């Protein structure tokens, strides 16, 4: 019973390509997130959706476009991939409310050749 | 802006206690969290504390909060080799954003 699942787990592709990462949660949460973790393990919020509405949009290149078809899914599409996009991307979800922690997926390891 | 800082490395011997420290800047923080990340995995919530509490204990884990100094610590008693991981401190203020520290890498020597 995977709570937050991301696909693919690994993604190796060439510079300039367009790729998507999918995320699904079966916890009934109303808020979902995308984080980028760099090689030094620093975790940076990229986007957050609450009930399919964008609520956090950090300074992220507009090559990154999130899409939430319903509150159980938040996908991340990346256009024109660059070398600096190589990282681990984590999806997370939480229920609204301050004491509700975030539940993380296992990450998608993106490598740009 | 909000910031969360932690030391990057900690090395202890198996059976000793580990203490991981964290400082944060946002005085309106409502909840503070400790997450654990093992190699190749996502972050897993270990414990959290509400900002009006001083201490929380959960089996081998003890969280201490000094709100005046904006200092949070995680103590792991009887540290085991399976505790080797990266530990992230995080704080949440009003709103949806949670700010994470850079993570403390705990190495447990047998």
């Amino acid at each position: 019973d995977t709570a937050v699942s991301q696909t693919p787990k690994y993604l190796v592709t060439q510079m300039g390509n367009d790729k998507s990462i999918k995320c699904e949660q079966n916890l009934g949460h109303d808020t979902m997130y995308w984080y980028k973790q760099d090689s030094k393990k620093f975790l940076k919020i990229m986007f957050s959706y609450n009930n399919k509405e964008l609520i956090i949009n950090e300074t992220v290149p507009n090559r990154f476009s999130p899409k939430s078809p319903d509150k159980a899914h938040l996908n991340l599409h990346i256009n024109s991939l660059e070398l600096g996009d190589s990282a681990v991307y984590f999806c997370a979800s939480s229920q609204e409310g301050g004491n509700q922690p975030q539940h993380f997926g296992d990450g998608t390891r993106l490598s740009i050749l | 802006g909000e910031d969360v800082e932690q030391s990057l490395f900690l090395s202890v011997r198996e059976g000793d206690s580990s203490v991981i420290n964290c400082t944060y800047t946002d005085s309106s923080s409502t909840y503070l969290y400790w997450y654990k990340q093992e190699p190749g995995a996502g972050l897993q919530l270990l414990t959290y504390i509400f900002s009006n509490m001083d201490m929380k204990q959960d089996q081998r884990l003890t969280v201490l909060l000094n709100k005046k100094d904006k200092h949070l610590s995680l103590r792991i008693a009887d540290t085991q080799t399976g505790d080797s991981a990266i530990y992230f401190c995080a704080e949440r203020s009003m709103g949806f954003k949670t700010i994470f520290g850079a993570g403390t890498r705990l190495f447990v020597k047998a």
Side-chain angles (χ1 to χ4, degrees):
Chain A
D1 275 6
T2 306
V4 181
S5 59
Q6 304 178 219
T7 53
K9 192 172 173 68
Y10 299 95
L11 186 51
V12 181
T13 189
Q14 292 195 326
M15 215 163 48
N17 285 348
D18 303 337
K19 290 293 177 187
S20 292
I21 308 172
K22 294 186 175 181
C23 179
E24 175 182 6
Q25 53 95 4
N26 63 6
L27 297 164
H29 289 166
D30 55 15
T31 306
M32 295 185 73
Y33 312 80
W34 276 110
Y35 287 88
K36 179 180 180 181
Q37 187 176 46
D38 62 23
S39 57
K40 294 182 179 175
K41 305 297 184 185
F42 185 70
L43 201 64
K44 184 177 177 185
I45 182 76
M46 298 174 70
F47 301 103
S48 178
Y49 273 71
N50 175 257
N51 284 315
K52 302 195 301 172
E53 297 293 323
L54 181 66
I55 54 168
I56 294 175
N57 185 356
E58 293 295 289
T59 307
V60 175
N62 58 15
R63 297 181 296 104
F64 291 79
S65 51
K67 278 198 170 55
S68 182
D70 55 60
K71 71 175 196 177
H73 296 84
L74 181 61
N75 304 322
L76 183 65
H77 187 76
I78 316 171
N79 288 328
S80 303
L81 281 156
E82 300 179 356
L83 290 175
D85 297 333
S86 294
V88 182
Y89 292 83
F90 286 102
C91 177
S93 72
S94 69
Q95 190 58 26
E96 189 171 348
N99 67 336
Q100 301 302 317
Q102 295 177 25
H103 295 252
F104 283 77
D106 285 340
T108 295
R109 283 137 192 86
L110 174 62
S111 298
I112 309 301
L113 304 176
Chain B
E2 309 103 335
D3 194 18
V4 176
E5 292 195 357
Q6 319 175 221
S7 52
L8 287 183
F9 300 99
L10 177 64
S11 179
V12 300
R13 289 196 179 278
E14 194 174 21
D16 288 350
S17 291
S18 309
V19 179
I20 302 172
N21 294 301
C22 169
T23 58
Y24 59 97
T25 58
D26 188 353
S27 55
S28 65
S29 290
T30 53
Y31 290 92
L32 296 123
Y33 307 90
W34 284 105
Y35 285 84
K36 176 183 180 182
Q37 184 180 28
E38 295 185 0
L43 278 69
Q44 174 195 1
L45 179 72
L46 283 179
T47 186
Y48 69 91
I49 189 168
F50 186 45
S51 58
N52 69 354
M53 296 169 64
D54 298 325
M55 185 182 94
K56 182 177 179 181
Q57 187 148 5
D58 183 2
Q59 299 182 332
R60 292 191 298 123
L61 305 178
T62 303
V63 178
L64 294 178
L65 174 61
N66 181 329
K67 195 173 179 182
K68 175 174 164 287
D69 294 338
K70 301 192 188 73
H71 182 267
L72 183 74
S73 68
L74 173 70
R75 178 176 180 268
I76 306 172
D78 187 25
T79 313
Q80 303 297 308
T81 54
D83 295 324
S84 292
I86 304 176
Y87 291 81
F88 289 89
C89 171
E91 63 95 6
R92 179 171 181 161
S93 54
M94 306 303 288
F96 293 96
K97 195 188 289 190
T98 299
I99 307 297
F100 288 82
T104 298
R105 289 129 188 85
L106 175 63
F107 299 97
V108 182
K109 295 176 283 191

